[in-house]
Each structure stands twice: as C-alpha cells, then as structure tokens.
Amino acid sequence: MLNGSIVALITPMTGEGKVDYASLEKLVEFHINEGTDAVVAVGTTGESATLPIAEHVDVVAHTVKFAAGRLPVIAGNGGNATTEAIELTQALSKVDVDAMLGVTPYYNKPTQKGLIAHYKAVAASTDIPQILYNVPGRTAVDLLPETVAELAGVNNIIGVKEATGDLARVNHLRELCGADFKLYSGDDATACEFLLLGGNGVISVANNVAPKAFKAMCDAALSGNAELARQYDEPLRGLYRELFCEANPIPVKWAVHRMGLINNNCIRLPLTELSDIYHGQLVEAITKARVEVI
C-alpha cells in the first residue's frame, strides 16, 4: 500500500476560478482506470498555496468520496506556518484519507532544528500517517537526510518525498532510516533510477498526463527489471522536461485540458496560463509519450 505510481493530482477549476468537482470526479475515474496506485489530493501540484483551508479540505473530501476506497488518497497538509499546518492537519483528520504529505515550510527558511520541531508538532496533532516532502528548489530549504532520520523515529512519520533529484540520497536515506521507511521520488526525470536504487514509489506530475505508461515504468523498476523500466521511461523523458517549461502546475494543467480531461485550463493567480510559445513542444512531448491528444 502507498507504493508505486502515485499522481500529484491537479485541481480542476471552472472559468470563474471555482473548483470544478465534475472534472475532479472524471480525473479520479481516469486514474483508477489507468491503474494509478494512489493519488495526492491538493498537494503543491494541486495549487495548495492558493486554496484556503475550508476549500482545501473540501477538495480532499470529494476526492476521497469519488475514489470510494478504490485507490488510496494522500492529502497535502503542508504550510509555512506550523500553526496553519496543524489546523489543516486536524481538519483533514476528519476526512478518511490514508496519509498526509507535508511540504517543508517555504520562504521563511527554517533551520534543521526548526524543521524537526515543525514536523514533530504536526505529527503530534493526528494519528494519520505523515509523509515528509523535500523540494528545496521551490521552498528554499533542504530537509537533510540526517534530519529525515531523526523524524523517522516518530511513530506516524512513515516516509519522505525527495525531490532534489540527487540519487545519492536514496542509499543514504535507506541506511539512515531503515528498510521500513518509505522513500518516494518527487523528481520525474530521475524517478526510474530512484526506484531501481530501492525507492518505494514516485509522486509524479507527469502521471497526470501519461498514467498507464508511468505505471508500467514504475512496476518494471520495482520488480528490478532495469532494462524494461528504462525502455518504458525513455518515451516519457520529453514529457518530464516540457512539463516544467514554466512553473508547475502551469504546463500540466494545459496538457490535461488539451487531452480533454478537464473542462477549463484555469489556474489561480499569481500563476497564469501556459505561454503560447510552449504549446507546440508540449504537444510533441505528449505525442511521444504515446498519449492521445485531442
């Protein structure tokens, strides 16, 4: 459970900027049918930074409702204020989620001591399993392996999403945290090798667009079949690159809309829709990934 191909799900929105729950249900069904192993609802790709707490919790609750036990749901519960993260965590604890994913506090750049105190306080506010999330390229703070190891001693902290792209960290984290601690890649470009080195799964942006192909890559890598995993991974590599031609989730929302899976390509300010100059190269990447583009 909570291994393999996990999608960092986008949050579909209407032309008025409200959450589009009909499209959200369609996305959940799409991932169930494509074989995705689990879904992250309102993580950072789901625009958590621009959803107030009540709306955030409502989107997670609807995702759980639409999934109806057919695949696990992990709720984003991060925040740059510990009190806010605790408030969100306690609200999400009333929803039947399988785990929560908490990004490191962003902008205020806490020390490693501060990160430990933050995550321990959040974990103490709930019994639901917690996954740490390290993405220093977006948060300006690096959750170091030694810090993760200390937090791994907390009963309900079960794993880490590591998005540095530094593959040397896989073995280091495994040595420090033990065999039972979950290691998830948060970097699509290095995800295949991350799994081959002993990772447990990938929380992926590209999975929004090519879930069946991404699932095949993950399954092959988790089974230890490096040749097959790399064979599945190669056509996806252009997608990994182009989905970050502008800030995530701008390109992935455009791609999912282009595929006809959501009704509108709406994103909340301060992010704006994908620039026209990137449309062609993203369509090419989707096509190479063997995804039908409408």
Side-chain angles (χ1 to χ4, degrees), residues 176-221:
L176 290 173
C177 301
D180 294 333
F181 194 73
K182 300 285 188 181
L183 302 182
Y184 302 103
S185 171
D187 179 62
D188 285 344
T190 57
C192 180
E193 299 305 318
F194 186 103
L195 294 176
L196 290 170
L197 287 169
N200 300 102
V202 186
I203 299 175
S204 166
V205 175
N207 200 357
N208 280 280
V209 179
K212 187 173 289 186
F214 198 81
K215 163 75 169 170
M217 182 277 289
C218 289
D219 286 351

mmCIF file of all heavy atoms in Angstrom, residues 176-221:
data_model
loop_
_atom_site.group_PDB
_atom_site.id
_atom_site.type_symbol
_atom_site.label_atom_id
_atom_site.label_comp_id
_atom_site.label_asym_id
_atom_site.label_seq_id
_atom_site.Cartn_x
_atom_site.Cartn_y
_atom_site.Cartn_z
ATOM 1 N N LEU A 176 20.121 5.413 6.774
ATOM 2 C CA LEU A 176 19.806 6.163 7.985
ATOM 3 C C LEU A 176 18.439 5.838 8.563
ATOM 4 O O LEU A 176 18.258 5.841 9.793
ATOM 5 C CB LEU A 176 19.868 7.676 7.686
ATOM 6 C CG LEU A 176 21.237 8.278 7.417
ATOM 7 C CD1 LEU A 176 21.080 9.723 6.976
ATOM 8 C CD2 LEU A 176 22.119 8.203 8.654
ATOM 9 N N CYS A 177 17.462 5.564 7.684
ATOM 10 C CA CYS A 177 16.065 5.466 8.115
ATOM 11 C C CYS A 177 15.534 4.042 8.218
ATOM 12 O O CYS A 177 14.465 3.829 8.800
ATOM 13 C CB CYS A 177 15.172 6.264 7.172
ATOM 14 S SG CYS A 177 15.606 8.019 7.080
ATOM 15 N N GLY A 178 16.231 3.084 7.646
ATOM 16 C CA GLY A 178 15.809 1.692 7.767
ATOM 17 C C GLY A 178 14.940 1.219 6.620
ATOM 18 O O GLY A 178 14.431 2.006 5.816
ATOM 19 N N ALA A 179 14.749 -0.084 6.561
ATOM 20 C CA ALA A 179 14.074 -0.724 5.434
ATOM 21 C C ALA A 179 12.588 -0.414 5.366
ATOM 22 O O ALA A 179 11.990 -0.472 4.285
ATOM 23 C CB ALA A 179 14.283 -2.241 5.506
ATOM 24 N N ASP A 180 11.962 -0.107 6.498
ATOM 25 C CA ASP A 180 10.515 0.095 6.514
ATOM 26 C C ASP A 180 10.090 1.524 6.194
ATOM 27 O O ASP A 180 8.904 1.782 5.951
ATOM 28 C CB ASP A 180 9.944 -0.296 7.882
ATOM 29 C CG ASP A 180 10.090 -1.783 8.157
ATOM 30 O OD1 ASP A 180 10.131 -2.557 7.180
ATOM 31 O OD2 ASP A 180 10.180 -2.154 9.341
ATOM 32 N N PHE A 181 11.012 2.443 6.188
ATOM 33 C CA PHE A 181 10.696 3.849 5.921
ATOM 34 C C PHE A 181 10.512 4.032 4.419
ATOM 35 O O PHE A 181 11.342 3.618 3.617
ATOM 36 C CB PHE A 181 11.822 4.741 6.439
ATOM 37 C CG PHE A 181 11.479 6.199 6.530
ATOM 38 C CD1 PHE A 181 10.631 6.665 7.524
ATOM 39 C CD2 PHE A 181 12.017 7.123 5.633
ATOM 40 C CE1 PHE A 181 10.327 8.018 7.635
ATOM 41 C CE2 PHE A 181 11.717 8.466 5.727
ATOM 42 C CZ PHE A 181 10.871 8.916 6.735
ATOM 43 N N LYS A 182 9.421 4.671 4.021
ATOM 44 C CA LYS A 182 9.078 4.809 2.607
ATOM 45 C C LYS A 182 9.877 5.943 1.961
ATOM 46 O O LYS A 182 9.905 7.059 2.481
ATOM 47 C CB LYS A 182 7.586 5.101 2.440
ATOM 48 C CG LYS A 182 6.663 4.025 3.002
ATOM 49 C CD LYS A 182 6.630 2.802 2.128
ATOM 50 C CE LYS A 182 5.551 1.828 2.590
ATOM 51 N NZ LYS A 182 5.522 0.610 1.752
ATOM 52 N N LEU A 183 10.460 5.641 0.822
ATOM 53 C CA LEU A 183 11.192 6.637 0.052
ATOM 54 C C LEU A 183 10.483 6.846 -1.278
ATOM 55 O O LEU A 183 10.362 5.914 -2.085
ATOM 56 C CB LEU A 183 12.631 6.191 -0.192
ATOM 57 C CG LEU A 183 13.485 5.891 1.043
ATOM 58 C CD1 LEU A 183 14.897 5.499 0.627
ATOM 59 C CD2 LEU A 183 13.521 7.087 1.995
ATOM 60 N N TYR A 184 10.010 8.071 -1.498
ATOM 61 C CA TYR A 184 9.297 8.406 -2.724
ATOM 62 C C TYR A 184 10.094 9.444 -3.508
ATOM 63 O O TYR A 184 10.549 10.440 -2.949
ATOM 64 C CB TYR A 184 7.914 8.997 -2.408
ATOM 65 C CG TYR A 184 7.027 8.104 -1.594
ATOM 66 C CD1 TYR A 184 6.834 8.340 -0.235
ATOM 67 C CD2 TYR A 184 6.367 7.021 -2.172
ATOM 68 C CE1 TYR A 184 6.018 7.526 0.525
ATOM 69 C CE2 TYR A 184 5.545 6.199 -1.417
ATOM 70 C CZ TYR A 184 5.370 6.456 -0.066
ATOM 71 O OH TYR A 184 4.557 5.647 0.690
ATOM 72 N N SER A 185 10.209 9.237 -4.802
ATOM 73 C CA SER A 185 10.806 10.260 -5.654
ATOM 74 C C SER A 185 9.778 11.348 -5.924
ATOM 75 O O SER A 185 8.609 11.062 -6.186
ATOM 76 C CB SER A 185 11.259 9.651 -6.982
ATOM 77 O OG SER A 185 11.640 10.677 -7.881
ATOM 78 N N GLY A 186 10.241 12.587 -5.911
ATOM 79 C CA GLY A 186 9.398 13.710 -6.317
ATOM 80 C C GLY A 186 9.973 14.404 -7.530
ATOM 81 O O GLY A 186 9.605 15.533 -7.847
ATOM 82 N N ASP A 187 10.873 13.702 -8.230
ATOM 83 C CA ASP A 187 11.537 14.251 -9.409
ATOM 84 C C ASP A 187 11.362 13.261 -10.557
ATOM 85 O O ASP A 187 12.035 12.233 -10.603
ATOM 86 C CB ASP A 187 13.018 14.481 -9.109
ATOM 87 C CG ASP A 187 13.772 15.025 -10.308
ATOM 88 O OD1 ASP A 187 13.434 16.133 -10.764
ATOM 89 O OD2 ASP A 187 14.688 14.328 -10.797
ATOM 90 N N ASP A 188 10.447 13.554 -11.475
ATOM 91 C CA ASP A 188 10.118 12.607 -12.535
ATOM 92 C C ASP A 188 11.339 12.212 -13.365
ATOM 93 O O ASP A 188 11.471 11.053 -13.774
ATOM 94 C CB ASP A 188 9.050 13.199 -13.461
ATOM 95 C CG ASP A 188 7.664 13.204 -12.845
ATOM 96 O OD1 ASP A 188 7.445 12.499 -11.846
ATOM 97 O OD2 ASP A 188 6.784 13.920 -13.364
ATOM 98 N N ALA A 189 12.233 13.144 -13.628
ATOM 99 C CA ALA A 189 13.363 12.882 -14.516
ATOM 100 C C ALA A 189 14.298 11.808 -13.982
ATOM 101 O O ALA A 189 14.956 11.106 -14.749
ATOM 102 C CB ALA A 189 14.134 14.167 -14.777
ATOM 103 N N THR A 190 14.380 11.671 -12.661
ATOM 104 C CA THR A 190 15.264 10.672 -12.051
ATOM 105 C C THR A 190 14.492 9.555 -11.361
ATOM 106 O O THR A 190 15.080 8.715 -10.686
ATOM 107 C CB THR A 190 16.201 11.341 -11.027
ATOM 108 O OG1 THR A 190 15.409 12.019 -10.034
ATOM 109 C CG2 THR A 190 17.132 12.335 -11.694
ATOM 110 N N ALA A 191 13.174 9.520 -11.551
ATOM 111 C CA ALA A 191 12.324 8.585 -10.809
ATOM 112 C C ALA A 191 12.647 7.126 -11.107
ATOM 113 O O ALA A 191 12.673 6.283 -10.200
ATOM 114 C CB ALA A 191 10.856 8.863 -11.111
ATOM 115 N N CYS A 192 12.887 6.801 -12.373
ATOM 116 C CA CYS A 192 13.176 5.419 -12.749
ATOM 117 C C CYS A 192 14.408 4.903 -11.996
ATOM 118 O O CYS A 192 14.373 3.828 -11.386
ATOM 119 C CB CYS A 192 13.374 5.314 -14.256
ATOM 120 S SG CYS A 192 13.740 3.651 -14.853
ATOM 121 N N GLU A 193 15.477 5.696 -12.018
ATOM 122 C CA GLU A 193 16.706 5.275 -11.332
ATOM 123 C C GLU A 193 16.512 5.273 -9.816
ATOM 124 O O GLU A 193 17.079 4.430 -9.114
ATOM 125 C CB GLU A 193 17.857 6.200 -11.723
ATOM 126 C CG GLU A 193 18.171 6.193 -13.210
ATOM 127 C CD GLU A 193 18.451 4.795 -13.762
ATOM 128 O OE1 GLU A 193 19.162 4.015 -13.082
ATOM 129 O OE2 GLU A 193 17.967 4.477 -14.864
ATOM 130 N N PHE A 194 15.719 6.191 -9.308
ATOM 131 C CA PHE A 194 15.398 6.241 -7.878
ATOM 132 C C PHE A 194 14.779 4.913 -7.436
ATOM 133 O O PHE A 194 15.159 4.335 -6.406
ATOM 134 C CB PHE A 194 14.439 7.404 -7.631
ATOM 135 C CG PHE A 194 14.115 7.700 -6.191
ATOM 136 C CD1 PHE A 194 14.705 8.771 -5.541
ATOM 137 C CD2 PHE A 194 13.185 6.943 -5.479
ATOM 138 C CE1 PHE A 194 14.389 9.076 -4.216
ATOM 139 C CE2 PHE A 194 12.868 7.233 -4.170
ATOM 140 C CZ PHE A 194 13.483 8.306 -3.526
ATOM 141 N N LEU A 195 13.822 4.421 -8.218
ATOM 142 C CA LEU A 195 13.168 3.153 -7.888
ATOM 143 C C LEU A 195 14.129 1.979 -8.009
ATOM 144 O O LEU A 195 14.119 1.059 -7.178
ATOM 145 C CB LEU A 195 11.956 2.936 -8.798
ATOM 146 C CG LEU A 195 10.792 3.912 -8.636
ATOM 147 C CD1 LEU A 195 9.702 3.624 -9.665
ATOM 148 C CD2 LEU A 195 10.203 3.847 -7.223
ATOM 149 N N LEU A 196 14.958 1.988 -9.034
ATOM 150 C CA LEU A 196 15.919 0.901 -9.222
ATOM 151 C C LEU A 196 16.945 0.848 -8.098
ATOM 152 O O LEU A 196 17.505 -0.212 -7.799
ATOM 153 C CB LEU A 196 16.614 1.048 -10.574
ATOM 154 C CG LEU A 196 15.734 0.781 -11.800
ATOM 155 C CD1 LEU A 196 16.449 1.202 -13.077
ATOM 156 C CD2 LEU A 196 15.319 -0.691 -11.875
ATOM 157 N N LEU A 197 17.171 1.983 -7.444
ATOM 158 C CA LEU A 197 18.086 2.032 -6.315
ATOM 159 C C LEU A 197 17.436 1.614 -4.997
ATOM 160 O O LEU A 197 18.104 1.570 -3.966
ATOM 161 C CB LEU A 197 18.657 3.451 -6.173
ATOM 162 C CG LEU A 197 19.679 3.863 -7.232
ATOM 163 C CD1 LEU A 197 19.959 5.357 -7.151
ATOM 164 C CD2 LEU A 197 20.981 3.072 -7.052
ATOM 165 N N GLY A 198 16.136 1.347 -5.027
ATOM 166 C CA GLY A 198 15.466 0.881 -3.819
ATOM 167 C C GLY A 198 14.361 1.763 -3.299
ATOM 168 O O GLY A 198 13.847 1.531 -2.198
ATOM 169 N N GLY A 199 13.945 2.768 -4.076
ATOM 170 C CA GLY A 199 12.814 3.594 -3.671
ATOM 171 C C GLY A 199 11.514 2.809 -3.705
ATOM 172 O O GLY A 199 11.419 1.759 -4.364
ATOM 173 N N ASN A 200 10.511 3.329 -3.011
ATOM 174 C CA ASN A 200 9.216 2.640 -2.908
ATOM 175 C C ASN A 200 8.168 3.132 -3.889
ATOM 176 O O ASN A 200 7.193 2.430 -4.168
ATOM 177 C CB ASN A 200 8.658 2.787 -1.492
ATOM 178 C CG ASN A 200 9.575 2.206 -0.450
ATOM 179 O OD1 ASN A 200 10.288 2.941 0.240
ATOM 180 N ND2 ASN A 200 9.604 0.894 -0.327
ATOM 181 N N GLY A 201 8.332 4.351 -4.400
ATOM 182 C CA GLY A 201 7.317 4.889 -5.297
ATOM 183 C C GLY A 201 7.703 6.258 -5.800
ATOM 184 O O GLY A 201 8.765 6.802 -5.455
ATOM 185 N N VAL A 202 6.822 6.813 -6.624
ATOM 186 C CA VAL A 202 7.033 8.139 -7.206
ATOM 187 C C VAL A 202 5.746 8.943 -7.074
ATOM 188 O O VAL A 202 4.672 8.459 -7.441
ATOM 189 C CB VAL A 202 7.400 8.059 -8.702
ATOM 190 C CG1 VAL A 202 7.763 9.448 -9.225
ATOM 191 C CG2 VAL A 202 8.526 7.070 -8.944
ATOM 192 N N ILE A 203 5.847 10.138 -6.538
ATOM 193 C CA ILE A 203 4.718 11.074 -6.505
ATOM 194 C C ILE A 203 4.967 12.037 -7.656
ATOM 195 O O ILE A 203 5.841 12.902 -7.583
ATOM 196 C CB ILE A 203 4.610 11.774 -5.147
ATOM 197 C CG1 ILE A 203 4.385 10.724 -4.049
ATOM 198 C CG2 ILE A 203 3.466 12.791 -5.160
ATOM 199 C CD1 ILE A 203 4.377 11.274 -2.635
ATOM 200 N N SER A 204 4.213 11.857 -8.732
ATOM 201 C CA SER A 204 4.590 12.363 -10.045
ATOM 202 C C SER A 204 3.656 13.416 -10.614
ATOM 203 O O SER A 204 2.432 13.315 -10.478
ATOM 204 C CB SER A 204 4.650 11.173 -11.015
ATOM 205 O OG SER A 204 4.692 11.592 -12.355
ATOM 206 N N VAL A 205 4.245 14.380 -11.325
ATOM 207 C CA VAL A 205 3.491 15.346 -12.111
ATOM 208 C C VAL A 205 3.110 14.741 -13.460
ATOM 209 O O VAL A 205 1.963 14.814 -13.903
ATOM 210 C CB VAL A 205 4.306 16.639 -12.311
ATOM 211 C CG1 VAL A 205 3.566 17.610 -13.235
ATOM 212 C CG2 VAL A 205 4.585 17.307 -10.972
ATOM 213 N N ALA A 206 4.073 14.087 -14.134
ATOM 214 C CA ALA A 206 3.833 13.501 -15.451
ATOM 215 C C ALA A 206 2.733 12.447 -15.419
ATOM 216 O O ALA A 206 2.057 12.211 -16.430
ATOM 217 C CB ALA A 206 5.118 12.888 -15.995
ATOM 218 N N ASN A 207 2.537 11.843 -14.282
ATOM 219 C CA ASN A 207 1.493 10.830 -14.114
ATOM 220 C C ASN A 207 0.101 11.396 -14.395
ATOM 221 O O ASN A 207 -0.825 10.657 -14.717
ATOM 222 C CB ASN A 207 1.578 10.274 -12.693
ATOM 223 C CG ASN A 207 0.910 8.930 -12.539
ATOM 224 O OD1 ASN A 207 0.312 8.399 -13.469
ATOM 225 N ND2 ASN A 207 1.021 8.371 -11.354
ATOM 226 N N ASN A 208 -0.076 12.715 -14.282
ATOM 227 C CA ASN A 208 -1.348 13.339 -14.646
ATOM 228 C C ASN A 208 -1.671 13.133 -16.121
ATOM 229 O O ASN A 208 -2.837 13.080 -16.506
ATOM 230 C CB ASN A 208 -1.292 14.853 -14.379
ATOM 231 C CG ASN A 208 -1.498 15.225 -12.937
ATOM 232 O OD1 ASN A 208 -2.622 15.278 -12.445
ATOM 233 N ND2 ASN A 208 -0.403 15.500 -12.235
ATOM 234 N N VAL A 209 -0.626 13.037 -16.945
ATOM 235 C CA VAL A 209 -0.774 13.023 -18.396
ATOM 236 C C VAL A 209 -0.656 11.629 -18.988
ATOM 237 O O VAL A 209 -1.394 11.260 -19.900
ATOM 238 C CB VAL A 209 0.276 13.957 -19.040
ATOM 239 C CG1 VAL A 209 0.172 13.956 -20.555
ATOM 240 C CG2 VAL A 209 0.131 15.376 -18.489
ATOM 241 N N ALA A 210 0.280 10.830 -18.482
ATOM 242 C CA ALA A 210 0.559 9.505 -19.048
ATOM 243 C C ALA A 210 0.566 8.434 -17.967
ATOM 244 O O ALA A 210 1.566 7.758 -17.752
ATOM 245 C CB ALA A 210 1.894 9.534 -19.774
ATOM 246 N N PRO A 211 -0.552 8.245 -17.262
ATOM 247 C CA PRO A 211 -0.545 7.337 -16.114
ATOM 248 C C PRO A 211 -0.268 5.879 -16.453
ATOM 249 O O PRO A 211 0.409 5.184 -15.694
ATOM 250 C CB PRO A 211 -1.936 7.517 -15.498
ATOM 251 C CG PRO A 211 -2.771 8.091 -16.577
ATOM 252 C CD PRO A 211 -1.849 8.931 -17.409
ATOM 253 N N LYS A 212 -0.784 5.398 -17.568
ATOM 254 C CA LYS A 212 -0.583 3.982 -17.893
ATOM 255 C C LYS A 212 0.886 3.697 -18.191
ATOM 256 O O LYS A 212 1.460 2.723 -17.692
ATOM 257 C CB LYS A 212 -1.452 3.579 -19.079
ATOM 258 C CG LYS A 212 -1.429 2.082 -19.374
ATOM 259 C CD LYS A 212 -2.441 1.695 -20.444
ATOM 260 C CE LYS A 212 -3.860 1.797 -19.926
ATOM 261 N NZ LYS A 212 -4.863 1.299 -20.899
ATOM 262 N N ALA A 213 1.509 4.565 -18.973
ATOM 263 C CA ALA A 213 2.924 4.396 -19.291
ATOM 264 C C ALA A 213 3.788 4.571 -18.043
ATOM 265 O O ALA A 213 4.757 3.831 -17.830
ATOM 266 C CB ALA A 213 3.338 5.392 -20.367
ATOM 267 N N PHE A 214 3.432 5.543 -17.211
ATOM 268 C CA PHE A 214 4.209 5.784 -15.997
ATOM 269 C C PHE A 214 4.082 4.621 -15.026
ATOM 270 O O PHE A 214 5.061 4.198 -14.406
ATOM 271 C CB PHE A 214 3.751 7.085 -15.340
ATOM 272 C CG PHE A 214 4.739 7.637 -14.367
ATOM 273 C CD1 PHE A 214 5.827 8.378 -14.805
ATOM 274 C CD2 PHE A 214 4.611 7.409 -13.012
ATOM 275 C CE1 PHE A 214 6.756 8.882 -13.915
ATOM 276 C CE2 PHE A 214 5.531 7.900 -12.110
ATOM 277 C CZ PHE A 214 6.616 8.650 -12.562
ATOM 278 N N LYS A 215 2.889 4.066 -14.922
ATOM 279 C CA LYS A 215 2.665 2.896 -14.077
ATOM 280 C C LYS A 215 3.505 1.713 -14.562
ATOM 281 O O LYS A 215 4.098 0.987 -13.756
ATOM 282 C CB LYS A 215 1.172 2.555 -14.108
ATOM 283 C CG LYS A 215 0.783 1.159 -13.634
ATOM 284 C CD LYS A 215 0.844 0.989 -12.152
ATOM 285 C CE LYS A 215 0.182 -0.333 -11.743
ATOM 286 N NZ LYS A 215 0.432 -0.656 -10.324
ATOM 287 N N ALA A 216 3.576 1.510 -15.870
ATOM 288 C CA ALA A 216 4.366 0.416 -16.427
ATOM 289 C C ALA A 216 5.843 0.586 -16.072
ATOM 290 O O ALA A 216 6.529 -0.388 -15.717
ATOM 291 C CB ALA A 216 4.182 0.352 -17.938
ATOM 292 N N MET A 217 6.343 1.825 -16.163
ATOM 293 C CA MET A 217 7.728 2.086 -15.793
ATOM 294 C C MET A 217 7.965 1.785 -14.325
ATOM 295 O O MET A 217 8.937 1.108 -13.955
ATOM 296 C CB MET A 217 8.074 3.543 -16.098
ATOM 297 C CG MET A 217 9.526 3.925 -15.785
ATOM 298 S SD MET A 217 9.830 4.348 -14.040
ATOM 299 C CE MET A 217 8.994 5.918 -13.915
ATOM 300 N N CYS A 218 7.067 2.252 -13.470
ATOM 301 C CA CYS A 218 7.216 2.026 -12.026
ATOM 302 C C CYS A 218 7.183 0.546 -11.684
ATOM 303 O O CYS A 218 8.007 0.050 -10.899
ATOM 304 C CB CYS A 218 6.129 2.766 -11.266
ATOM 305 S SG CYS A 218 6.299 4.561 -11.250
ATOM 306 N N ASP A 219 6.246 -0.175 -12.257
ATOM 307 C CA ASP A 219 6.127 -1.601 -11.967
ATOM 308 C C ASP A 219 7.387 -2.358 -12.378
ATOM 309 O O ASP A 219 7.876 -3.238 -11.655
ATOM 310 C CB ASP A 219 4.911 -2.195 -12.671
ATOM 311 C CG ASP A 219 3.587 -1.800 -12.021
ATOM 312 O OD1 ASP A 219 3.627 -1.202 -10.920
ATOM 313 O OD2 ASP A 219 2.522 -2.089 -12.604
ATOM 314 N N ALA A 220 7.915 -2.024 -13.551
ATOM 315 C CA ALA A 220 9.121 -2.693 -14.022
ATOM 316 C C ALA A 220 10.307 -2.384 -13.108
ATOM 317 O O ALA A 220 11.084 -3.277 -12.750
ATOM 318 C CB ALA A 220 9.430 -2.275 -15.454
ATOM 319 N N ALA A 221 10.437 -1.121 -12.716
ATOM 320 C CA ALA A 221 11.548 -0.732 -11.844
ATOM 321 C C ALA A 221 11.427 -1.384 -10.471
ATOM 322 O O ALA A 221 12.422 -1.871 -9.913
ATOM 323 C CB ALA A 221 11.600 0.783 -11.709
#
